[in-house]
Amino acid sequence: MSATSNSPRSRAVFDVLYYLTAVFFFLYLFGYYWTSEGGPALLALTLVPVTFILYTLEAVRQDEFYPRLPPAARYVIAALSIAISIAVAVYMHVEYEEIGTVRAGIWSATDLTMGALMALLIMEYTRVRHPALFVLNVLLIVYAVYGRFVSGMFFHPGLSWERIASAMSVEMSTGIFSNLPQLALTLIGSFILVLAALRAFGCVESILKGSKQIAARSPHALPQSAVIGSMAVGTVSGSGAANAITVGSATIPAMIGAGMPPVVAGAIETASSLGGQLMPPVMGIAAFLMAEFLGRSYFDVVARGYAPAIIYYIGVSVSVYLLSTRYRTRLKVAVAQPMAVSDWANIGAFVCVVGGLIGVMAVLHLAPMFAALYVFVAVGGALLLAHLVMTSRSAGWTGRALIAPLGRFVDYFASMTADLTLLLATLSIMTGALVITGVPTKIGGILIQMAGINLAAMALVAFFFGALLGTGLPPAPTYIITALVVAPPMIKVGVNPWVVHFFAFFLAVWGEVTPPTSVSAAITSKIANAPFMQTLFRAITICFSLFVLMAGVFTRPELVLEPGTAQIGALVLITTATIGITFSLQAHFSDRRSIDVLLRLVLAGVALVVLLHPDRQLAWLACLPVAGFVGYWILRRRNAPVATGADTG
């Protein structure tokens, strides 16, 4: 044990404090989900400080709280941070009515001090966890105060520090208690209840074991197990990086062990994990944010989100299939662990959760928060009962084993919800600074000028804007900023809001693999022990379907306008274009390089007609040569020689 780590006794104390706080946090939110008592604003005023307490206790117990300081100094700073958070929570809860009504617009010095203290604590959280966001927020706040020193269209007279403090806290229309952290605690938190229950009872591990069963049937199916596993886990995690860690730790070594080059194995998992951001019902929290921006129900977003996710994973699956055929002489059959009864039960629970959420919202038309709550009670109760029965029947069972899933559940729920709430509070500081300085309106003016050229130019400028953000920011803030800046001018020139917001969403997902700062690629390349940049660029070729979606949402807007038969037609066209472009990138049609390149260029051109041409009849006719190319490749390459062992991919 290092000199700066916690002693066993102090670690035990912090464990107890953390779990007591986590249980309080869970019970408070669970009661709110049943009753909605007090409303979301009061909930945020009370629990945002509690989320910081959870973050502090978790960091201390994991030796991540100012690790360079001696333990005594860390404990003093932690105690002070927790004391301030408790004072803010109590004050804001007690003074809620006065702050929101009587003193609205004329807040007292105590109101502003308490709000500013909480904002500073969240900024410190941001500095530690999200340095790029911290720098951006500091720059935006400085710009908000000293805008008079900026020349040109971004000039503004500047705001007082008192105005900054109120905008970041007690105004509640912007800042750390505004709609975004309220959303994290209410709608998103209710869904995290369900996801935490699945994780606590081992459903994710059962999904991975199930994907290995697929891999054991054929060496060609082994890389597809990464795709299927990531797609399934993505519905639970909603995070590309979480997918890469959870699924990649199992699939990447298996693929390498079966003969797949490390770079290719890491790239396959990177592209597969990226889809976790696209998969409903979570969609990397974008579904919740998009519903908030558009003023539509969460189910409206999810119903439109499945078609793009299906297209993406079809594109990745086809690309992975082409890669597996290239290396098929190397691949060996994987060995899978047998599935236990509990594994099948966990997979059944997972299916019930996804189907139940959609069914309850679509058929019974329940509000999403109540739908998630009822599914949690039903599925979580069934999982708990099954666990109790199986544990009590096993020989030598203990009370610790009996309650272990409950501890994991509380831990998962508290840590995920608290971290997400603090992140969205951070994003609220950013969006507040943007709004009060008028930056979105000014950048929107530039985009409207581009629209005078054509919509494609406008979309291209928006793409580079979103891609630039994605190099330094996670998908959620990238989506929020892009939506704030891009959506109003595009909607003003006649683009449907659904199209604009899904385009912004796809841009935000692309940020997950934007060179050179892809977290997912960093994780998978580390697991694969492969060069980072090679892994990243190979992953981009595998997930090229994401670029197809960005263009397709404009040329085939039926994909996201209304669920139904029109959506199916757009799905087929964009999927066909995706397959055609994927084959043009990954397949070989001739042993002669010049002929092969020519055929691939022709295929890419025909696929682009399917994707982009405004004449739908011509687009449908262009599907036929795409199918012809694919059929020719299958007939020609089925028994053709493949890469030798010297090919590293």
Side-chain angles (χ1 to χ4, degrees), residues 57 61 86 209 222 224 285 369 377 425 442 524 536 559:
L57 291 172
R61 64 197 285 258
I86 292 173
K209 288 178 69 175
L222 174 60
Q224 296 293 344
I285 78 167
M369 189 174 78
V377 171
K442 294 170 182 177
T524 57
L536 175 56
L559 184 72

Side-chain angles (χ1 to χ4, degrees), residues 48-49 52 85 88 113-123 176-177:
V48 166
F52 189 84
S85 299
V88 172
T113 300
M114 288 295 186
L117 284 173
M118 196 67 243
L120 288 173
L121 289 179
I122 290 176
M123 285 290 287
I176 60 173
F177 303 116

Side-chain angles (χ1 to χ4, degrees), residues 3 24 32 83 122 125 144 151 162 195 218 238 287 351 415 443 448 464 511 541 579 590 597 609 639:
F24 165 79
Y32 177 85
I122 290 176
Y125 156 85
S151 60
E162 181 178 342
L195 306 183
S218 164
V351 173
S415 62
I443 297 180
I448 289 178
F464 283 112
T541 65
I579 294 172
S590 175
V597 170
V609 171
N639 299 311

Side-chain angles (χ1 to χ4, degrees), residues 178-194:
S178 64
N179 289 342
L180 291 182
Q182 290 173 25
L183 190 66
L185 290 167
T186 54
L187 181 57
I188 301 176
S190 66
F191 276 75
I192 292 177
L193 273 179
V194 182

